[in-house]
Structure formats: structure tokens, C-alpha cells
Amino acid sequence: MLAVYIIIGVLVITFLTIYNSLVRRRNQVKNSWAQIDVQLKRRYDLIPNLVETAKGYMKHERETLEAVTNARNLAQQMSSAGAGERAKAEGELSSVLSRLLAVVENYPDLKANQNFLALQEELASTENKISFSRQFYNDSVLRYNNQTEMFPSNIVASMTGFKASEFFEVTLAAEREAPKVSFT
Amino acid sequence: MWEQIRSNQIRSVVLTIGMGALLILIGYFLGFYFFDSPIAGLLIAILVWAGLSLFGYFQGDSVLIRMSRAKKIGPGDHPRLYNIVEEMKIASGLEKMPAVYIIDDPALNAFATGRDPKRAAVAITSGLLQKLNRDELQGVIAHEISHIKNRDVLLMTMCSILLGTIVILAWYGSRFMIFGALTGSRRSSSSRGGGQGNIIILVVALVFMILAPIMAQLIYFAISRKREYLADASGALYTRYPEGLASALEKLGASTGQLKSANQATAPMYIVNPFRKKGMKASDLSSTHPSLSKRIRILRAMSGASFNDYDGAYRQVEQSGKGVIPAGSMAAAAVPLVTRKLEGEAAEPDEIHRTRETSDAMWKLSNYRTVTCDCGTRLRVPPNFKEPGIQCPHCGKTHQV
């Protein structure tokens, strides 16, 4: 009789331990998603300032600047859409931004502007933060998904309704290729 | 709880227990010899250790910061450094942003401190800040954040306190023993009557007293080196770019300037051994850090950014079958490296710009004001400057302060 109690006790403790670690992992996935969101919003806020500062110096880059503004507005509209569409809009914004930062090299006056330099550092760092938070999010999703699929935690996961999460992938060709610098 | 005591900690914990055993043995010998009761000696040893530990636990981090005369910076003081720390905080998944400090010292070094991730801090010398480009700085900060994330700071503080206790007890113990043997005034001599057995015990105890601190130090160095490898591996994992850290270590290796404020107890927290001398072969057993050239070779041999890849690179460089990272902590997934733009290609400030940026930050942290004259001259106004205006020595224009 005692053996039965012990077995039941061990089972209950194992179940609770696995359940708690599932909850912890899922919360981490949620938190790291929020972290991406924070950084994307920061980028929306920075871009108008950057464009405003650059405008005075970059007379011949009206198109590039407009493309950046449009991509930013589009991405902001998409921020309530699903992960897939959102990733696409954000990827587009990243690629036009890197194009803008590449042509800045042709404007020595702009590069000497303290205000612009500070904005550029902020923007470059925000880009990094976006990719690092995406990296951490994907790592968290991987750990969480592994746990929901692997034995024995998959039993607990299916009993209590833990579902696998979606990765945040930006698989745009535009983001992969290096920005081209034109000297026209 | 079990998630915190990850398997990569276990080997270090075993070594720490080894040091603890040394301490207990010393206490035992002391008690046996001086008070005829091993328990009393144990009690003394443990009391000394506990007292020092409490001090180290609650005061260790602030002492380190104060001793190095580091200055705390905010996001506006040195945006690049602050941003990089924040980037690495995000990449490592730390919950709280660590405090960021700059040490005004031309030597090249950096350290992390804080007994738990919630009260962590990273500090970097102004010399290093000027020398490194963005990717290299990121590598260094990633290494330091790894120390925080892996809880190395607490482990190494506790280990150095253990080491300190062993050294103190062994030092006093062996002196008293020699003194006691020479004068024959040992308290317990009357009760046990002396003789052959006592002399043997005396000799064994004395040899142990001399050897214990050396053994403890070797264990301590072994733990420290292991944590360095692990921090390099985690740093590469966070940045996905081991070349950044490798190239930073290369620059660190080229300089032999010693950090004024470092000492033996705090050495393991720095990114490179602050006491290394020119041409010192740091791969031997008596160093807190593995040799720089080996660390660089391992980082450059990595084919991916995961712990697995670091372990593979370590085996390749060491040409041994034994890895450096315990198998339990390795994630199975492959982690690709990222490619970065080369220096100069991106809008990267050069060394002159970085030097100016850092010295500006240091002046500002010392409460100096900066006035930029129309002729391009920058005037530093000290905090105790009382005059209403200041004249530019270059063009003669007077500025209101």
C-alpha cells in the first residue's frame, strides 16, 4: 500500500515540476516577444527624426527618404497584423534603412552633423537590438517547443493545452543581400 | 532550482567542494594540535570562513567597484557603450540592465561584478573603450555579461574567500606550530607526553599546512580558467560572431599595461589576467586565465556559434578528446555564425573619434563643462570655475559660462 502512495506521490511531483517549467518557458517566450515589440516601436520613433535631419543635406535622395518614410508607416500599420506579414513589413523597412545609411557615406557634411551621428548610433543600435531580441525570442521558442514535443513533458503539455509557438523569421532576400552603394 | 544549477556548474561546484575539504582538514589539524579537540579547530575555521563570506556576499561587489575607482555612466554619457551593453543584455535574456561603469585607466581591461544578475555591473577601462571597434566591444561585453548570466561572480567571490581563509589559517597555523615545536611550550605536551608519534603528526601537519594553500590556489585557478572558457563560449553564442571577441583579445594581448586597481582576489573577474607580464606563458597551472593565444585560436576555429562548436574548436586546438564544456549544457540545435561588415565599411567611428568620445565622457563625468568656440576650439571648464565668462585662447572671443 505504501509503495502505491509513494508512486502516486512521485508522479504528482513530476507532473507539477514539468507543468511549472512549461509555464516558465511559455512566459519567457511571451516576454521575449514583448521585447521585440519594444525595439520595433523604438525604431518607428527614431525614423522621422532621422529623415528630418537628413532632408536638409540629402537633396538628391528624395526617393530614398520617401521610401524609408513609407516603409516605416507601412510597418507601423502592420504592427497589429500576424507575425508573418509583420515580419515582411519590418524586413522591408530594414532593407530601405540600410540603403539610406549606405548613401549617407556620400554626404560628408551630414556625417559631420553631431545630431545626425547620435541618431545614426541610436538607429544602428536599435537594429542590433531588434535582431538580438529576435534571436533570443527564437531561442526561447526552440526551448519551449522542444519541451512540448519531447517525452515525457509532451504528455503534460498535451494534457494541459500547451501548444508550440511560432518562430519569428525574416527571410527576405532584400535583407540578406548587402546594400549597394551608388555613386551617381 | 534545477534549471539554475545547470550541469555546467556542477564541475565547478565539485572543485569548490574540494577547496572546502581542504579548509576542513586545516581546521581539523589545527584543533587537534592546539586544543586537543578537532571540533574546536573546525569551528574556528568555519567561523572565520563564514565571517569573510558574509562580508564578501554583501560587500564584495561594491568594494570591487570602489577599489577600481570606476565611474557610473548613463545612456547619455557614452551612448555607444551603453547601447552595446543593452544589446548584450537583450541577447543573453538578462532581466535587468546591468549598471555600466568606466574606469579611467589607460590599461586595457574589463570586468563584471554583482552577486546575482539583479545587481550586476560591467566596467571597462577608458583605454579599452578607445581601442576597440563596435564588434570587438560587443564581444568583450558579451564575455562579461556571460560571467553575470553564468553566475560566475558569486562563485569566484566565494572561491577566493575560501582560498583566503585557507591561506590565513595555514599561515598562522604553521607559524604557531614551528614556534611551539621550537620552544616546547605546546599546551598539550603535558597531557600526551610527547614522543615519536607526536613528531610524526607534527611533521605531517606542518607539510599539510604548507601544501594546502598551494593546492587550494591551483584548484582556484582551475575553476577560474574553466569559467573563462565558458564565458568565451557564451559570448560567442550571444553575438553569433566569435571573431569580434577574438580580435578584441588580440588587441588586449598586444598591450602589457597593468591595471593599477586590480588585485589577486579580483583577478578572475577581468577579461584578461590583469597581472600578466610580457612574454608570460599563461597556459600554465598558475594563472587565472587560459592563454590569450589559445582563446583566440579556439574562437577562430569555431564553425558555428553554439556551445557544441566551441567544444569542437577546443578539442581541435588542444588536440585532446576531452572537451571543455560539459555535455549537459549543450543545445542540440545548430547555430549559424553571422557575417558582419568590415570596419570602415559601415559608418564606424575611427580610433581618433573614439578617443575623443571617451575623453569627452570622462571630462563630463568629472563635472567639467565643455564650451565649443566658433573657431572650433573646445574649452573645458572645471567645476570650480567661478568667473562669469571665459576667453578662447585661440581666437580671443569671450564666452558666457
Side-chain angles (χ1 to χ4, degrees), chain B residues 309-369:
Chain B
D309 296 310
Y310 189 86
D311 207 56
Y314 177 84
R315 284 162 206 251
Q316 192 187 324
V317 168
E318 281 282 275
Q319 296 186 330
S320 78
K322 240 178 87 192
V324 68
I325 293 172
S329 60
M330 285 191 233
V335 182
L337 298 174
V338 297
T339 47
R340 298 275 173 89
K341 280 177 236 155
L342 293 169
E343 187 174 3
E345 203 177 312
E348 170 92 44
D350 56 7
E351 193 168 341
I352 298 171
H353 183 90
R354 292 200 297 262
T355 308
R356 191 168 296 159
E357 186 184 42
T358 308
S359 67
D360 277 356
M362 293 324 291
W363 284 111
K364 207 178 142 206
L365 288 172
S366 315
N367 292 323
Y368 275 62
R369 274 166 296 173

Coordinates of all heavy atoms in Angstrom, one line a residue, chain B residues 309-369:
Chain B
D309 N 29.9 23.9 -31.0 CA 31.0 24.3 -31.9 C 32.2 24.8 -31.1 O 33.4 24.5 -31.5 CB 30.5 25.5 -32.8 CG 29.4 25.0 -33.7 OD1 29.6 24.0 -34.4 OD2 28.4 25.7 -33.8
Y310 N 32.0 25.5 -30.0 CA 33.1 25.9 -29.2 C 33.9 24.7 -28.6 O 35.1 24.7 -28.7 CB 32.6 26.8 -28.0 CG 33.7 27.4 -27.3 CD1 34.2 28.6 -27.7 CD2 34.3 26.9 -26.1 CE1 35.3 29.3 -27.1 CE2 35.3 27.5 -25.5 CZ 35.8 28.7 -25.9 OH 36.9 29.3 -25.3
D311 N 33.1 23.7 -28.2 CA 33.7 22.5 -27.7 C 34.5 21.8 -28.8 O 35.7 21.4 -28.5 CB 32.6 21.6 -27.2 CG 33.1 20.7 -26.1 OD1 33.6 21.2 -25.1 OD2 33.0 19.4 -26.2
G312 N 34.0 21.7 -30.0 CA 34.7 21.1 -31.1 C 36.0 21.9 -31.4 O 37.1 21.3 -31.6
A313 N 35.9 23.2 -31.4 CA 37.1 24.0 -31.7 C 38.1 23.8 -30.6 O 39.3 23.8 -30.8 CB 36.7 25.5 -31.8
Y314 N 37.7 23.7 -29.3 CA 38.6 23.5 -28.2 C 39.4 22.2 -28.4 O 40.6 22.1 -28.2 CB 37.8 23.5 -26.9 CG 38.7 23.2 -25.7 CD1 39.4 24.2 -25.0 CD2 38.8 21.9 -25.2 CE1 40.1 23.9 -23.9 CE2 39.5 21.6 -24.1 CZ 40.2 22.6 -23.4 OH 41.0 22.4 -22.3
R315 N 38.6 21.1 -28.7 CA 39.3 19.8 -29.0 C 40.3 19.9 -30.1 O 41.4 19.3 -30.0 CB 38.2 18.8 -29.4 CG 37.4 18.2 -28.2 CD 36.1 17.6 -28.8 NE 35.1 17.6 -27.8 CZ 34.7 16.5 -27.2 NH1 35.2 15.4 -27.4 NH2 33.7 16.6 -26.3
Q316 N 39.9 20.7 -31.1 CA 40.8 20.8 -32.3 C 42.1 21.5 -31.9 O 43.2 21.1 -32.3 CB 40.0 21.6 -33.3 CG 40.7 21.5 -34.7 CD 39.9 22.5 -35.6 OE1 38.7 22.6 -35.6 NE2 40.6 23.1 -36.5
V317 N 41.9 22.6 -31.1 CA 43.1 23.4 -30.7 C 44.0 22.6 -29.7 O 45.2 22.6 -29.8 CB 42.7 24.8 -30.2 CG1 43.9 25.5 -29.5 CG2 42.1 25.6 -31.3
E318 N 43.3 22.0 -28.7 CA 44.0 21.2 -27.7 C 44.5 19.9 -28.2 O 45.3 19.3 -27.6 CB 43.1 21.0 -26.5 CG 43.0 22.2 -25.6 CD 44.2 22.4 -24.7 OE1 44.2 21.8 -23.6 OE2 45.1 23.1 -25.1
Q319 N 43.9 19.4 -29.3 CA 44.1 18.1 -29.8 C 44.0 17.0 -28.7 O 44.8 16.1 -28.5 CB 45.5 18.0 -30.4 CG 45.7 18.9 -31.6 CD 47.0 18.8 -32.3 OE1 48.0 18.4 -31.7 NE2 46.9 19.0 -33.6
S320 N 42.9 17.2 -28.0 CA 42.5 16.2 -27.0 C 41.1 15.8 -27.1 O 40.3 16.5 -27.8 CB 42.7 16.8 -25.6 OG 41.6 17.6 -25.2
G321 N 40.8 14.6 -26.6 CA 39.4 14.1 -26.7 C 38.5 14.7 -25.7 O 37.3 14.6 -25.8
K322 N 39.1 15.4 -24.7 CA 38.2 15.9 -23.7 C 37.8 17.4 -24.0 O 38.7 18.2 -24.3 CB 39.0 15.9 -22.3 CG 38.3 15.1 -21.3 CD 39.2 15.0 -20.0 CE 38.8 16.2 -19.1 NZ 39.8 16.4 -18.0
G323 N 36.5 17.6 -24.0 CA 36.1 19.0 -24.2 C 36.1 19.8 -23.0 O 36.5 19.4 -21.9
V324 N 35.8 21.1 -23.1 CA 35.8 22.0 -22.0 C 34.5 22.3 -21.5 O 34.3 22.8 -20.4 CB 36.6 23.3 -22.4 CG1 35.8 24.1 -23.4 CG2 37.0 24.1 -21.2
I325 N 33.4 22.1 -22.3 CA 32.1 22.4 -21.8 C 31.3 21.1 -21.6 O 31.3 20.2 -22.4 CB 31.4 23.2 -22.9 CG1 32.1 24.6 -22.9 CG2 29.9 23.4 -22.6 CD1 31.6 25.5 -24.0
P326 N 30.8 20.9 -20.4 CA 30.1 19.7 -20.1 C 28.9 19.4 -21.0 O 28.2 20.3 -21.4 CB 29.6 19.9 -18.6 CG 30.3 21.0 -18.1 CD 30.8 21.8 -19.3
A327 N 28.7 18.1 -21.4 CA 27.8 17.8 -22.4 C 26.4 18.3 -22.1 O 25.6 18.6 -23.0 CB 27.8 16.3 -22.6
G328 N 26.0 18.3 -20.8 CA 24.6 18.6 -20.5 C 24.1 19.9 -20.9 O 22.9 20.2 -21.1
S329 N 25.1 20.9 -21.0 CA 24.7 22.3 -21.2 C 24.6 22.6 -22.7 O 24.3 23.7 -23.1 CB 25.6 23.2 -20.6 OG 26.9 23.0 -21.1
M330 N 24.9 21.6 -23.6 CA 24.9 21.9 -25.0 C 23.5 21.7 -25.6 O 22.9 20.6 -25.5 CB 25.9 21.0 -25.7 CG 27.3 21.4 -25.4 SD 28.4 20.5 -26.5 CE 29.5 19.8 -25.3
A331 N 23.1 22.7 -26.3 CA 21.8 22.6 -27.0 C 22.1 21.8 -28.3 O 23.2 21.9 -28.9 CB 21.3 23.9 -27.4
A332 N 21.2 21.0 -28.8 CA 21.4 20.2 -29.9 C 21.3 21.0 -31.2 O 21.9 20.6 -32.2 CB 20.3 19.1 -30.0
A333 N 20.6 22.1 -31.2 CA 20.4 22.8 -32.5 C 21.7 23.5 -33.0 O 22.5 23.9 -32.2 CB 19.4 23.9 -32.2
A334 N 21.8 23.5 -34.3 CA 22.9 24.2 -34.9 C 22.7 25.7 -34.9 O 21.6 26.1 -35.1 CB 23.1 23.7 -36.3
V335 N 23.7 26.4 -34.6 CA 23.6 27.9 -34.6 C 24.6 28.5 -35.6 O 25.8 28.4 -35.4 CB 23.9 28.4 -33.2 CG1 23.7 29.9 -33.1 CG2 23.0 27.8 -32.1
P336 N 24.1 29.1 -36.6 CA 25.0 29.6 -37.7 C 25.7 30.9 -37.2 O 25.1 31.6 -36.3 CB 24.1 29.9 -38.8 CG 22.7 30.1 -38.2 CD 22.7 29.3 -37.0
L337 N 26.8 31.2 -37.7 CA 27.5 32.4 -37.5 C 26.9 33.5 -38.3 O 26.2 33.2 -39.3 CB 29.0 32.3 -37.8 CG 29.8 31.3 -37.0 CD1 31.2 31.2 -37.6 CD2 29.8 31.7 -35.6
V338 N 27.1 34.7 -38.0 CA 26.6 35.8 -38.8 C 27.9 36.5 -39.4 O 29.0 36.4 -38.9 CB 25.8 36.9 -38.1 CG1 24.5 36.3 -37.6 CG2 26.6 37.5 -37.0
T339 N 27.7 37.1 -40.6 CA 28.8 37.8 -41.1 C 28.5 39.3 -40.9 O 27.4 39.8 -41.0 CB 28.9 37.6 -42.7 OG1 27.6 37.7 -43.2 CG2 29.4 36.2 -42.9
R340 N 29.6 40.0 -40.5 CA 29.4 41.5 -40.3 C 30.2 42.2 -41.4 O 31.1 41.7 -42.0 CB 30.0 41.8 -38.9 CG 29.4 41.1 -37.8 CD 28.2 41.9 -37.3 NE 27.4 41.2 -36.3 CZ 27.7 41.2 -35.0 NH1 28.6 42.0 -34.6 NH2 26.9 40.5 -34.2
K341 N 29.8 43.5 -41.5 CA 30.5 44.3 -42.4 C 31.9 44.6 -41.8 O 32.1 44.7 -40.6 CB 29.8 45.7 -42.6 CG 28.7 45.5 -43.6 CD 27.9 46.8 -43.7 CE 26.4 46.6 -43.4 NZ 25.8 47.8 -42.9
L342 N 32.9 44.8 -42.6 CA 34.2 45.1 -42.1 C 34.3 46.5 -41.6 O 33.5 47.4 -42.0 CB 35.3 44.9 -43.3 CG 35.4 43.5 -43.7 CD1 36.2 43.4 -45.0 CD2 36.0 42.6 -42.6
E343 N 35.3 46.7 -40.8 CA 35.5 48.0 -40.2 C 35.7 49.1 -41.3 O 36.4 48.8 -42.3 CB 36.6 48.0 -39.2 CG 36.8 49.3 -38.5 CD 37.9 49.3 -37.4 OE1 38.6 48.3 -37.3 OE2 38.0 50.3 -36.7
G344 N 35.2 50.2 -41.2 CA 35.3 51.2 -42.2 C 34.3 51.2 -43.2 O 33.9 52.3 -43.8
E345 N 33.7 50.0 -43.5 CA 32.7 50.0 -44.5 C 31.4 50.6 -43.9 O 30.8 51.4 -44.6 CB 32.4 48.5 -44.9 CG 31.8 48.3 -46.2 CD 31.7 46.8 -46.5 OE1 32.7 46.1 -46.3 OE2 30.6 46.4 -46.9
A346 N 31.0 50.2 -42.7 CA 29.9 50.8 -42.1 C 30.3 52.2 -41.5 O 31.5 52.5 -41.5 CB 29.4 49.9 -41.0
A347 N 29.4 53.0 -41.1 CA 29.7 54.3 -40.5 C 30.3 54.0 -39.1 O 29.6 54.2 -38.1 CB 28.5 55.2 -40.5
E348 N 31.5 53.6 -39.0 CA 32.1 53.2 -37.8 C 33.1 54.3 -37.4 O 34.0 54.7 -38.2 CB 32.9 51.9 -38.0 CG 33.7 51.5 -36.8 CD 33.0 50.6 -35.9 OE1 32.3 49.7 -36.3 OE2 33.2 50.8 -34.7
P349 N 33.0 54.9 -36.2 CA 34.0 55.9 -35.8 C 35.4 55.3 -35.7 O 35.5 54.2 -35.2 CB 33.5 56.3 -34.4 CG 32.6 55.3 -33.9 CD 32.0 54.6 -35.1
D350 N 36.4 56.0 -36.1 CA 37.8 55.5 -36.1 C 38.4 55.8 -34.7 O 37.7 56.3 -33.8 CB 38.6 56.1 -37.2 CG 38.6 57.7 -37.1 OD1 38.0 58.2 -36.1 OD2 39.1 58.3 -38.0
E351 N 39.6 55.4 -34.5 CA 40.2 55.5 -33.2 C 40.3 56.9 -32.6 O 40.1 57.1 -31.4 CB 41.6 54.8 -33.2 CG 42.0 54.5 -31.7 CD 43.2 53.6 -31.6 OE1 43.5 52.9 -32.6 OE2 43.8 53.6 -30.5
I352 N 40.6 57.8 -33.5 CA 40.7 59.2 -33.1 C 39.3 59.7 -32.5 O 39.2 60.3 -31.4 CB 41.1 60.1 -34.2 CG1 42.5 59.7 -34.7 CG2 41.1 61.6 -33.8 CD1 42.9 60.4 -36.0
H353 N 38.3 59.3 -33.3 CA 37.0 59.7 -32.9 C 36.6 59.1 -31.5 O 36.0 59.7 -30.7 CB 36.0 59.3 -34.0 CG 34.6 59.7 -33.7 ND1 34.1 60.9 -34.1 CD2 33.6 59.1 -33.0 CE1 32.8 61.0 -33.7 NE2 32.5 59.9 -33.0
R354 N 37.0 57.8 -31.4 CA 36.6 57.0 -30.2 C 37.4 57.6 -29.0 O 36.8 57.7 -27.9 CB 37.0 55.6 -30.4 CG 36.1 54.8 -31.4 CD 36.2 53.3 -31.2 NE 37.5 52.8 -31.4 CZ 37.9 52.2 -32.5 NH1 37.1 52.1 -33.5 NH2 39.1 51.7 -32.6
T355 N 38.6 58.0 -29.2 CA 39.4 58.6 -28.1 C 38.7 59.9 -27.7 O 38.6 60.1 -26.5 CB 40.8 58.9 -28.6 OG1 41.3 57.7 -29.2 CG2 41.7 59.3 -27.4
R356 N 38.3 60.7 -28.6 CA 37.7 62.0 -28.3 C 36.4 61.7 -27.5 O 36.1 62.4 -26.5 CB 37.4 62.8 -29.6 CG 37.0 64.2 -29.4 CD 37.1 64.9 -30.6 NE 38.4 65.0 -31.2 CZ 38.6 65.3 -32.5 NH1 37.6 65.5 -33.3 NH2 39.9 65.4 -32.9
E357 N 35.6 60.8 -28.1 CA 34.3 60.4 -27.4 C 34.5 60.0 -26.0 O 33.8 60.5 -25.1 CB 33.7 59.3 -28.3 CG 32.3 58.9 -28.0 CD 32.0 57.7 -28.8 OE1 32.8 56.8 -29.0 OE2 30.8 57.7 -29.3
T358 N 35.5 59.1 -25.8 CA 35.7 58.6 -24.4 C 36.2 59.7 -23.5 O 35.8 59.8 -22.4 CB 36.7 57.5 -24.5 OG1 36.3 56.5 -25.4 CG2 36.9 56.8 -23.1
S359 N 37.2 60.6 -24.0 CA 37.7 61.6 -23.1 C 36.6 62.6 -22.8 O 36.5 63.1 -21.7 CB 39.0 62.2 -23.7 OG 38.6 63.0 -24.8
D360 N 35.7 62.9 -23.8 CA 34.6 63.8 -23.5 C 33.8 63.2 -22.4 O 33.4 63.9 -21.4 CB 33.7 63.9 -24.8 CG 34.2 64.9 -25.7 OD1 35.2 65.6 -25.4 OD2 33.7 65.1 -26.8
A361 N 33.5 61.9 -22.5 CA 32.7 61.3 -21.4 C 33.3 61.4 -20.1 O 32.7 61.7 -19.1 CB 32.4 59.8 -21.8
M362 N 34.7 61.2 -20.0 CA 35.4 61.2 -18.8 C 35.4 62.6 -18.2 O 35.2 62.8 -17.0 CB 36.8 60.7 -18.9 CG 37.0 59.3 -19.2 SD 35.9 58.1 -18.5 CE 36.3 58.2 -16.8
W363 N 35.6 63.6 -19.0 CA 35.5 65.0 -18.5 C 34.2 65.3 -18.0 O 34.0 65.9 -16.9 CB 35.8 66.0 -19.7 CG 37.3 66.1 -20.1 CD1 37.8 65.7 -21.2 CD2 38.3 66.7 -19.3 NE1 39.1 65.9 -21.3 CE2 39.5 66.5 -20.1 CE3 38.4 67.3 -18.1 CZ2 40.8 67.0 -19.7 CZ3 39.7 67.7 -17.6 CH2 40.8 67.5 -18.4
K364 N 33.2 64.9 -18.7 CA 31.8 65.2 -18.3 C 31.5 64.5 -16.9 O 30.8 65.1 -16.1 CB 30.8 64.7 -19.4 CG 29.5 65.4 -19.4 CD 28.6 64.9 -20.5 CE 27.2 64.9 -20.0 NZ 26.4 63.9 -20.7
L365 N 32.0 63.3 -16.8 CA 31.8 62.6 -15.5 C 32.5 63.2 -14.3 O 32.1 63.1 -13.2 CB 32.2 61.1 -15.6 CG 31.4 60.2 -16.5 CD1 32.0 58.9 -16.7 CD2 30.0 60.1 -15.9
S366 N 33.6 64.0 -14.6 CA 34.2 64.8 -13.6 C 33.6 66.2 -13.4 O 34.3 67.1 -12.9 CB 35.7 64.9 -13.9 OG 36.2 63.7 -14.3
N367 N 32.4 66.4 -14.0 CA 31.7 67.6 -13.8 C 32.3 68.8 -14.6 O 32.1 69.9 -14.2 CB 31.5 68.0 -12.4 CG 30.5 67.0 -11.7 OD1 29.6 66.6 -12.3 ND2 30.8 66.7 -10.5
Y368 N 33.1 68.5 -15.6 CA 33.7 69.6 -16.4 C 32.6 70.0 -17.4 O 31.9 69.1 -17.9 CB 34.9 69.2 -17.1 CG 36.2 69.3 -16.3 CD1 36.3 68.6 -15.1 CD2 37.2 70.2 -16.7 CE1 37.5 68.8 -14.4 CE2 38.4 70.3 -16.0 CZ 38.5 69.6 -14.8 OH 39.6 69.7 -14.0
R369 N 32.5 71.3 -17.7 CA 31.6 71.7 -18.8 C 32.4 71.9 -20.1 O 33.6 72.3 -20.0 CB 30.9 73.0 -18.4 CG 29.6 72.8 -17.7 CD 29.2 74.0 -17.1 NE 30.1 74.5 -16.1 CZ 30.0 75.7 -15.5 NH1 29.0 76.5 -15.8 NH2 30.9 76.1 -14.6

